[in-house]
Each structure stands twice: as structure tokens, then as C-alpha cells.
Amino acid sequence: MTHPDPAPSRAGARPRVFSGMQPTSDLHLGNYLGALKQWVAGQHERENVFCVVDLHALTIPEAIDPAQLRARSRAVAAMYLASGLDPETATVFVQSHVPEHTEAAWLLNCVTPLGWLHRMTQFKAKTEGRASIGTGLLDYPVLQAADILLYDTDEVPVGEDQVQHVELTRDIAVRFHHLFGDVFVLPKAVVPTSGARVMGLDEPTAKMSKSIADERPGHAVRLLDPPNVIRKAIMSAVTDSERETRFEHASPGVRNLLTIWQVLSGRPMTDLEAEVEGKGYGALASEA
Ligand code: AMP
Ligand code: TRP
């Protein structure tokens, strides 16, 4: 069964955008390039709803205490605004302040087959090697579906790792429609062409992540890091063993630095390659 898109009640309206981030830790360059930058760029052509998803952060309860979670939720909201979201245009709020998110999640739980949740790659990655796994971690994508479906969302701007969750949201909505009739707008994930998966500076085969950034100083650039810390992290980023920059067979680390430089400068990749081709990696790192 399909649902008209946009919903009849919103036909002709500007596309509605919904997205969110967990207040588990300070935001990093991956959060900015994968998601925040897109939120800001599109805000004046769209209706914007941006959430600080504190209830999602509870899925790893030992990682955070309640007072810290409240403080970080405010800090993340402040970072949304500092990155350029205009409070006149965007609605910014904390997920737990709106009880309908958990209510809708329950209703959606009751139509979501367990097998769909077991297939989520993020669930598999987050539970690997863990002795005890909370039910919330498995159910995490259903709460995310509730977040998105509650607001008649057309577009969900996210990094690549969230695409599977947005697709699951559509599947849950379609199943709900099949059982009860059409209610929801079917959302689509919007992923940037460059920067959708920023890799760790110290380990460019793994995604830049908040939890690793807390443990290893050279892993990420955090949005609140002072310039000298950022410079050090970029200059010591893993590249490869070649002495000169060559792009035909660039290593993951070199590709990662090029992507970061390209997205932040807005220049075409071919220009950047021409500028540092044949020079040492110091040239690439200092440009990035
Ligand atoms: P999270 O840190 O899991 O709360 O993610 C918040 C947003 O940032 C989501 O849209 C993610 O897809 C995006 N994101 C997280 N890490 C990265 C990364 N390394 N590269 C690109 N986008 C990312
Ligand atoms: N799961 C997302 C992440 O870790 C955060 C999130 C929760 C979200 N609800 C959302 C993202 C709704 C987009 C839309 O990045």
C-alpha cells in the first residue's frame, strides 16, 4: 500500500525535515559534515524540526548519568544553534519533553516484527562483545521511527549510518497502513554526497564516533576543540607509508582527509588533488 507524498493535509507546503542527535558526548566533525551542515544549508527552503534525542542516549545506561544527560542535552541544543540553525526557522527541542514520542513508539512496537530489529547493522555493531544487552538497544529504531513519523516528516537528513533506520521507519509505516489505513507520511533519508561517513583520523577504516573520541584524543575533531588540538589531530592523522601523495590508489586515510578538505572548502576534488599531488602528506594535512 502506498501513501500519497506529501500528505494531503500538507500538500503544497514546504518539505518538512526532522532529524536528531544523541547527547551522549560532544559533537564531532562527522556529526557536522554528515548531518548538521545539511540541516543548516536547507533550513530556509524547508519546515525544520530538530530534536536532541536524550531517550536514545539511555539505551546504553552505564554510559551516562541523569544530571550529565540534562547538561549535555542543553549543550547539544546550543551546538545546533552555534552551527547556524536559526531559531526563527527551526524548532529545536528535547525528545523527553514531548511524551508522545514514547507513546507512539509503543504503538509502533506492536506492529514491528522482532526479526526486522535483529537485522539492524547498528544493533549488531553496538552489541558485539557485550555480555548484557538492554531491550532499549534493540528497540532503538522503533523510537526513532516514532520521532520521524509523529511530525509528518518528508526528509530526514542524516549520515550514512542512519539510512537503514530511516528505511525501517518506512517499512513500519507501510505495515501500520496495511493494518489500520493510511496515517503517516513516508519519509526518505537525505545523505550528503560527500562527508556522509567521516572516518576516524587515527583509524580510517572505522567511522569517526563519539564513544571512541572520548577514549582516544587523536580520533576525532570535536566541534569545541581549540585550534591547536584540531591542528594536532589532523597533522597526526593516519595516511599511508608512501612519501608522496598519489591519488589513483589513495589509502582510506588520504581519502578521508581529502573528503574533509573538499567539503569544508567547497572546492572540486580535482583542484585539491592537483594542489598537493606529488608533495608530502604534510601538505595535504596542513591544507585539510
Ligand atoms: P550520533 O552521533 O549517532 O548521535 O549521530 C548524529 C548524526 O550524525 C546522525 O545523522 C549520524 O548519521 C551522523 N554521523 C555520526 N557519525 C558520523 C560520521 N562519522 N560521519 C558522518 N556522519 C555521522
Ligand atoms: N539514531 C540517530 C543517530 O544515532 C539519532 C536519531 C534519533 C535520529 N531519532 C532520530 C536521527 C530521528 C534522525 C531522525 O544518529
Side-chain angles (χ1 to χ4, degrees), residues 55-284:
L55 297 173
H56 279 102
L58 297 179
T59 54
I60 305 197
E62 64 276 22
I64 201 151
D65 79 79
Q68 202 178 32
L69 186 61
R70 274 192 289 276
R72 284 200 176 144
S73 295
R74 295 179 72 83
V76 167
M79 273 188 256
Y80 287 180
L81 302 182
S83 301
L85 277 188
D86 177 357
E88 297 291 326
T89 314
T91 301
V92 173
F93 72 105
V94 176
Q95 186 185 35
S96 65
H97 297 183
V98 181
E100 284 83 352
H101 287 249
T102 39
E103 291 173 15
W106 179 256
L107 299 178
L108 298 178
N109 266 334
C110 296
V111 304
T112 304
L114 201 50
W116 292 5
L117 301 180
H118 278 294
R119 277 200 288 278
M120 293 295 108
T121 45
Q122 209 166 56
F123 173 70
K124 291 189 215 164
K126 282 186 182 173
T127 54
E128 214 172 54
R130 287 174 69 92
S132 148
I133 298 162
T135 308
L137 206 52
L138 179 67
D139 203 30
Y140 178 113
V142 179
L143 179 60
Q144 183 164 352
D147 297 341
I148 296 169
L149 296 174
L150 271 181
Y151 295 91
D152 283 349
T153 304
D154 300 296
E155 297 175 4
V156 187
V158 280
E160 194 183 273
D161 62 341
Q162 294 303 313
V163 170
Q164 193 185 36
H165 288 165
V166 180
E167 283 165 1
L168 180 81
T169 299
R170 289 177 69 96
D171 291 343
I172 294 173
V174 168
R175 191 167 155 81
F176 193 97
H177 291 171
H178 182 67
L179 294 168
F180 302 110
D182 288 4
V183 193
F184 300 120
V185 173
L186 298 185
K188 65 169 195 287
V190 179
V191 174
T193 44
S194 236
R197 189 176 177 81
V198 177
M199 309 307 277
L201 298 174
D202 60 347
E203 188 192 7
T205 46
K207 190 185 71 162
M208 186 179 283
S209 94
K210 289 191 195 129
S211 52
I212 304 177
D214 286 344
E215 290 160 20
R216 301 203 308 245
H219 175 75
V221 168
R222 298 201 263 196
L223 301 189
L224 297 180
D225 282 344
N228 62 321
V229 172
I230 295 178
R231 195 168 300 116
K232 188 163 174 225
I234 296 277
M235 292 304 285
S236 51
V238 170
T239 47
D240 65 26
S241 54
E242 302 290 320
R243 290 175 56 102
E244 293 184 350
T245 311
R246 298 260 169 262
F247 295 105
E248 320 84 83
H249 307 292
S251 67
V254 170
R255 280 273 141 223
N256 194 37
L257 283 179
L258 271 174
T259 305
I260 291 170
W261 182 20
Q262 195 254 314
V263 186
L264 291 176
S265 68
R267 292 169 57 192
M269 191 65 100
T270 45
D271 263 28
L272 308 186
E273 291 181 352
E275 203 167 305
V276 287
E277 178 89 43
K279 296 185 186 162
Y281 285 113
L284 172 58

